[in-house]
Amino acid sequence: MKSIQVGLLGIGTVGGGVFNVLQRNQEEILRRAGRGIEITMVADLDTARAQAVVGSSVQVVADARAVIANPEIDIVVELIGGYGIARQLVMEAIEAGKHVVTANKALLAVHGTEIFAAAHRKGVMVAFEAAVAGGIPIIKSLREGLTANRIEWIAGIINGTTNFILSEMRDKGLDFEVVLKEAQRLGYAEADPTFDIEGVDAAHKAALMSAIAFGIPVQFDKAYVEGITQLAAQDIKYAEKLGYRIKLLGITKKTAKGIELRVHPCLVPVKRLIANVEGAMNAVMVHGDAVGTTMYYGKGAGSEPTASAVIADLVDITRLHTSDPLHRVPHLAFQPDAMSDTPVLAMGDVVTSYYLRLKVADQAGVLAKVTGILAEAGISIDAMLQREADEVGGEGSTQTDLIILTHDCVEAKMNAALAQMQALPTVLAPITRIRKEELA
Amino acid sequence: MKSIQVGLLGIGTVGGGVFNVLQRNQEEILRRAGRGIEITMVADLDTARAQAVVGSSVQVVADARAVIANPEIDIVVELIGGYGIARQLVMEAIEAGKHVVTANKALLAVHGTEIFAAAHRKGVMVAFEAAVAGGIPIIKSLREGLTANRIEWIAGIINGTTNFILSEMRDKGLDFEVVLKEAQRLGYAEADPTFDIEGVDAAHKAALMSAIAFGIPVQFDKAYVEGITQLAAQDIKYAEKLGYRIKLLGITKKTAKGIELRVHPCLVPVKRLIANVEGAMNAVMVHGDAVGTTMYYGKGAGSEPTASAVIADLVDITRLHTSDPLHRVPHLAFQPDAMSDTPVLAMGDVVTSYYLRLKVADQAGVLAKVTGILAEAGISIDAMLQREADEVGGEGSTQTDLIILTHDCVEAKMNAALAQMQALPTVLAPITRIRKEELA
């Protein structure tokens, strides 16, 4: 049988990985797929570098549209990134009747609805395993492996850069800014790390998983996004004392009122496996009503782990492209005519529990005032830790840290209580509030 | 579109789960699959109990062959278990042109070659996600999610009963026999626990994963199988002191000489996630050349977790049954005409490292003799722990425990060295030998 012909748009780190792994494991992949899969054309602005990567047997062009226009090409792999030209090219490839594979979470999180609708109209596949958690087959597990389940919640470490930074902060007791510089030096963080450290990258991935889990459109714009830039080393230490570790989690949950979709730092019990996922690794917990809690762990980025996911998509498309579109796995797991309009909740409507750190004056009555405000708001306290003033501020200090873990309450209520506490004259600095998830 | 009609053979714990989950999540599954999936016929010897489970709208018969003979039935689900009648019925269902779903690892591990060959001839699918690690989509991840990779090794906790027993032994410092009784009382171990505690069940699953990972026939008969019945509480304690936990692992590995396929207790560094998988949970680590190390975690047994896997197979078949057989995912991940004859190694040829515990006379020269034997065999020592005689045998004791961790060596060499050490007059009891895997 004739090989499936693949055209790459962009051959940087991931593209190079896809080319190398396809070549190195050619025989193994053919033995599995029953059909050869070959990169026969590459578009990259830097044609000389691209040609050096792929050798002389592959056609290299500067113009991506030449790949899309080539009638021999069965699948177009978009590895350019971003929302601009990538979006245009993906749409053009679909219009040209090409199947598309992409690792571009930003693109799908923002323009997914338009892209998947176009693909559905044209009867082509748009596959994106590489867009979430790198080499971990989490999209496949959600869309196919857990298809019997009502998914109840997902919570994942889906950004390696921030997990590396948090691991280093805890290991070495260092502050965020120091570790970020180290991470940049080691190549774990980019020169402009904004998308990672502000939680945007994780929110792109969470929005995709949310859509697939609950059969709703991709709604990155509705996600609550909070990064790790405000995290202090002392909160990591206090959390540890209380039996928790702080992770940046992407969370999506189905509740009676609607769907939660949020990315923020989070206390997680240290006894949960996910609390022990260290360095740049990723892990995604998925809770389904039949299967219970499952977890998927592996490298979330890097040339070959991402290539592993891209090639898995190429094989899937190779297998499915002769089947009638009605019987294929739907892009967003649910049939396009069976999508739900369950709303994504505003953050104020989310129910979770909290870690609070208050710097307070070390004097009588402070604790009574603070706990009084929480009691009045109906927020109950799970655990408390008061540090001796001397330990916190040195001998003779008149300040102390008050750490409170609460039970579940609705965020709006907590916000109101926080404003009241913050207004107390005995509360001497902005209150730190970090959400907490038991993931039981 | 007409619903896919499913016939169940046997409706015990798992069958009941399949029926209940399919009913409860009917709408969700239809929204995903785009087509209804319905159990319309059930065969069980206890027809009254079966009818009570499924209600009056489903036809219940005592004769499984009536289900197979029913032209309306698209998929037959075999949940009888064992090698006897189950094998016959699966073969008859295949001959009748039915797709088959089974959770029967014993059957596939022993008769897989015959069954898959027949299915291939008839152009039907035999799906078995539920046969390994319950609800965890490990078969799908290996066959599809990691299809770009040369799989290098798999190591898994794939028997919940033994992991529960080992967790309890460690937690409570109890001996095997005591915990086994407790596990039986709680329903974590069966009245006849032989298949679980002797490692046979894990070996069935390891043989299946080995075939899928390396493109070789299912070869349970070539597996090395050692259970946990000989494990002493003190070895768990010593291991802990050295930074390891003891787990029963199913391991399969591709080496230059051949394929390792083995189930035995194993020391695992406590810092690995898999060392922290507790109770009846399952977890499988898979190392691929492109993706690196991944891990899959969840419930390995139970009514609904297993049902989750069975139904995922039903949906897969629903999606693929109109596609031409050439483009389907091959039963054993590799095309039938592309299987490899790489041999499974005898245990003597396996390379691993070891934990040894020797009860020795507390006198000069013993250590020199023992380490001399190892040195002569070319086995190097990684770590050693000698307990004071008083700690081990009470005050005035003349015995002591000598714990040795070795570096990698071939098992045959270790066997010879063990025989020499055992023959020393100063070695006072049978030497305990447990294998060790770093899983790095």
Side-chain angles (χ1 to χ4, degrees):
Chain A
M1 220 176 319
K2 190 162 150 287
S3 284
I4 289 285
Q5 304 212 10
V6 177
L8 290 193
L9 310 187
I11 185 158
T13 308
V14 174
V18 172
F19 185 81
N20 290 334
V21 174
L22 257 184
Q23 281 239 312
R24 187 175 73 227
N25 295 346
Q26 200 168 26
E27 192 211 325
E28 196 99 350
I29 294 167
L30 173 63
R31 285 175 58 209
R32 290 194 178 102
R35 187 153 177 191
I37 297 174
E38 235 181 304
I39 293 173
T40 53
M41 198 170 180
V42 171
D44 200 292
L45 292 179
D46 189 342
T47 50
R49 196 181 44 79
Q51 198 80 67
V53 174
V54 299
S56 57
S57 63
V58 177
Q59 190 187 352
V60 173
V61 294
D63 179 12
R65 293 193 165 92
V67 175
I68 294 171
N70 184 340
E72 297 295 316
I73 294 291
D74 302 297
I75 308 174
V76 171
V77 181
E78 183 275 307
L79 299 170
I80 297 167
Y83 319 91
I85 182 72
R87 172 172 158 264
Q88 246 173 293
L89 293 173
V90 163
M91 291 301 284
E92 288 177 28
I94 291 168
E95 289 310 321
K98 308 294 188 195
H99 301 292
V100 173
V101 175
T102 177
N104 191 336
K105 46 239 156 204
L107 175 64
L108 295 179
V110 175
H111 299 291
T113 302
E114 174 193 10
I115 289 169
F116 295 128
H120 182 61
R121 265 197 317 274
K122 293 293 292 186
V124 298
M125 288 175 267
V126 174
F128 55 99
E129 183 63 81
V132 181
I136 307 172
I138 184 65
I139 299 295
K140 183 172 279 285
S141 295
L142 280 169
R143 284 206 308 200
E144 304 172 39
L146 301 180
T147 196
N149 291 266
R150 266 187 261 202
I151 307 288
E152 294 176 351
W153 55 263
I154 297 175
I157 296 173
I158 45 182
N159 179 272
T161 303
T162 45
N163 202 54
F164 174 83
I165 292 174
L166 292 176
S167 297
E168 289 287 294
M169 286 176 72
R170 185 179 69 87
D171 264 15
K172 303 183 177 161
L174 296 172
D175 274 317
F176 172 75
E177 291 297 342
V178 182
V179 177
L180 173 60
K181 289 218 171 67
E182 170 78 356
Q184 284 173 316
R185 203 180 54 77
L186 293 171
Y188 285 114
E190 295 186 46
D192 177 0
T194 316
F195 261 36
D196 292 319
I197 64 178
E198 296 294 1
V200 177
D201 174 74
H204 286 150
K205 296 165 184 168
L208 283 168
M209 290 198 289
S210 182
I212 289 174
F214 305 122
I216 57 172
V218 187
Q219 291 166 84
F220 166 69
D221 56 327
K222 301 277 174 55
Y224 173 81
V225 190
E226 182 184 318
I228 63 166
T229 56
Q230 301 306 313
L231 271 186
Q234 56 181 324
D235 291 313
I236 294 176
K237 271 185 227 148
Y238 285 139
E240 205 81 13
K241 265 188 214 299
L242 292 159
Y244 292 86
R245 218 154 263 176
I246 298 180
K247 295 290 181 188
L248 182 72
L249 293 187
I251 297 173
T252 187
K253 203 180 276 196
K254 191 164 190 178
T255 73
K257 285 187 181 163
I259 284 160
E260 298 180 6
L261 175 54
R262 49 194 170 103
V263 170
H264 51 70
C266 209
L267 274 75
V268 179
V270 82
K271 65 185 171 196
R272 300 272 173 267
L273 281 188
I274 200 168
N276 298 283
V277 170
E278 298 288 356
M281 302 302 285
N282 280 200
V284 181
M285 294 175 79
V286 182
H287 189 89
D289 69 335
V291 76
T293 299
T294 57
M295 194 180 88
Y296 309 83
Y297 165 90
K299 286 188 183 147
S303 170
E304 295 211 350
T306 311
S308 172
V310 168
I311 297 171
D313 279 344
L314 293 176
V315 175
D316 267 1
I317 292 178
T318 300
R319 282 177 175 147
L320 289 172
H321 81 294
T322 59
S323 72
D324 69 303
L326 272 178
H327 279 87
R328 291 179 193 152
V329 182
H331 292 112
L332 292 176
F334 291 76
Q335 301 291 330
D337 60 0
M339 298 292 276
S340 149
D341 55 3
T342 311
V344 173
L345 293 174
M347 195 58 197
D349 294 328
V350 162
V351 173
T352 181
S353 56
Y354 298 88
Y355 159 102
L356 306 177
R357 173 169 55 82
L358 296 84
K359 191 168 282 306
V360 294
D362 188 24
Q363 63 189 56
V366 174
L367 188 57
K369 284 226 172 89
V370 167
T371 54
I373 290 171
L374 290 171
E376 217 165 288
I379 299 169
S380 61
I381 294 172
D382 178 31
M384 209 156 55
L385 182 68
Q386 185 165 1
R387 304 281 291 165
E388 291 301 316
D390 288 359
E391 286 180 70
V392 175
E395 208 162 327
S397 169
T398 57
Q399 302 182 353
T400 188
D401 278 353
L402 182 61
I403 316 296
I404 298 172
L405 297 185
T406 76
H407 285 296
D408 276 351
C409 75
V410 69
E411 178 124 339
K413 220 181 239 183
M414 175 54 77
N415 289 342
L418 277 173
Q420 280 185 275
M421 289 189 277
Q422 193 67 72
L424 293 174
T426 46
V427 171
L428 308 172
I431 300 170
T432 298
R433 172 259 302 272
I434 307 174
R435 296 170 191 88
K436 176 169 86 68
E437 292 287 335
E438 292 294 326
L439 304 177
Chain B
M1 219 176 319
K2 188 164 150 288
S3 284
I4 290 285
Q5 305 212 8
V6 177
L8 290 193
L9 310 187
I11 186 157
T13 309
V14 174
V18 172
F19 184 81
N20 289 334
V21 174
L22 258 184
Q23 281 239 313
R24 188 174 73 227
N25 295 347
Q26 200 168 29
E27 192 211 326
E28 195 100 350
I29 294 167
L30 172 64
R31 285 175 58 208
R32 290 193 178 103
R35 187 153 176 191
I37 298 174
E38 236 180 303
I39 294 174
T40 53
M41 197 170 179
V42 171
D44 200 291
L45 291 179
D46 190 342
T47 50
R49 196 181 45 79
Q51 197 80 67
V53 173
V54 299
S56 58
S57 62
V58 177
Q59 190 187 352
V60 173
V61 294
D63 179 12
R65 292 193 165 92
V67 175
I68 294 171
N70 183 340
E72 297 294 316
I73 295 291
D74 302 296
I75 308 174
V76 171
V77 180
E78 183 275 306
L79 298 170
I80 297 167
Y83 319 90
I85 182 71
R87 171 172 159 265
Q88 245 174 294
L89 292 173
V90 164
M91 291 301 284
E92 287 177 27
I94 291 168
E95 289 310 322
K98 307 293 187 194
H99 301 293
V100 173
V101 174
T102 176
N104 191 337
K105 46 241 155 201
L107 175 65
L108 295 178
V110 175
H111 299 291
T113 302
E114 174 194 9
I115 289 169
F116 295 128
H120 181 62
R121 266 197 318 274
K122 293 293 292 186
V124 297
M125 289 175 266
V126 174
F128 55 98
E129 183 63 81
V132 182
I136 307 171
I138 183 66
I139 299 295
K140 182 172 279 285
S141 296
L142 280 169
R143 285 205 309 200
E144 305 172 39
L146 303 178
T147 194
N149 292 265
R150 267 185 260 201
I151 306 288
E152 295 177 352
W153 54 263
I154 297 174
I157 296 173
I158 45 181
N159 180 273
T161 303
T162 45
N163 202 56
F164 174 83
I165 291 174
L166 292 176
S167 298
E168 289 287 296
M169 284 176 73
R170 185 178 70 86
D171 264 15
K172 304 186 175 160
L174 296 172
D175 274 316
F176 172 76
E177 291 296 341
V178 181
V179 177
L180 173 60
K181 288 218 171 68
E182 170 78 355
Q184 285 174 315
R185 204 179 53 78
L186 293 170
Y188 284 115
E190 294 185 46
D192 177 1
T194 316
F195 261 36
D196 292 318
I197 64 179
E198 295 294 1
V200 177
D201 174 73
H204 285 150
K205 297 165 183 168
L208 283 168
M209 290 198 288
S210 183
I212 289 175
F214 305 122
I216 57 172
V218 187
Q219 290 166 82
F220 167 69
D221 56 328
K222 301 276 173 57
Y224 173 81
V225 190
E226 182 184 317
I228 63 166
T229 56
Q230 302 305 314
L231 272 185
Q234 57 181 324
D235 291 313
I236 294 177
K237 271 186 227 150
Y238 285 140
E240 204 80 13
K241 267 188 211 300
L242 291 158
Y244 292 87
R245 218 154 264 177
I246 299 180
K247 294 290 182 190
L248 181 73
L249 292 187
I251 297 173
T252 186
K253 202 180 277 195
K254 191 164 189 178
T255 74
K257 285 187 180 164
I259 284 160
E260 298 179 5
L261 176 53
R262 49 194 170 103
V263 169
H264 51 71
C266 207
L267 273 75
V268 180
V270 82
K271 65 186 171 197
R272 300 270 174 268
L273 281 189
I274 200 169
N276 297 282
V277 170
E278 299 288 356
M281 300 303 284
N282 279 200
V284 181
M285 294 175 79
V286 182
H287 189 88
D289 69 335
V291 77
T293 298
T294 57
M295 195 180 87
Y296 309 83
Y297 165 89
K299 286 188 183 149
S303 170
E304 295 212 350
T306 310
S308 173
V310 168
I311 296 170
D313 280 345
L314 292 176
V315 174
D316 268 2
I317 292 179
T318 299
R319 282 176 175 147
L320 288 172
H321 84 293
T322 58
S323 73
D324 69 302
L326 272 177
H327 280 87
R328 290 178 193 153
V329 182
H331 291 112
L332 292 175
F334 291 78
Q335 301 291 330
D337 60 359
M339 297 293 277
S340 150
D341 55 3
T342 311
V344 173
L345 294 173
M347 195 60 197
D349 294 328
V350 162
V351 173
T352 184
S353 56
Y354 298 87
Y355 160 101
L356 306 176
R357 175 169 55 82
L358 297 83
K359 189 168 284 304
V360 294
D362 189 24
Q363 63 188 58
V366 174
L367 187 58
K369 283 224 171 91
V370 166
T371 54
I373 290 172
L374 290 171
E376 216 165 289
I379 300 168
S380 61
I381 293 172
D382 178 31
M384 209 155 57
L385 182 69
Q386 186 166 1
R387 304 279 292 165
E388 292 300 316
D390 288 358
E391 286 181 71
V392 175
E395 209 164 324
S397 171
T398 57
Q399 303 182 354
T400 187
D401 278 352
L402 182 62
I403 316 295
I404 298 173
L405 297 186
T406 76
H407 285 295
D408 275 353
C409 75
V410 70
E411 178 123 340
K413 220 181 240 183
M414 175 53 78
N415 289 342
L418 276 173
Q420 280 186 274
M421 289 188 278
Q422 193 67 72
L424 292 174
T426 46
V427 171
L428 307 173
I431 300 171
T432 298
R433 173 260 302 273
I434 307 175
R435 296 169 191 89
K436 175 170 86 68
E437 293 287 334
E438 292 295 324
L439 305 176

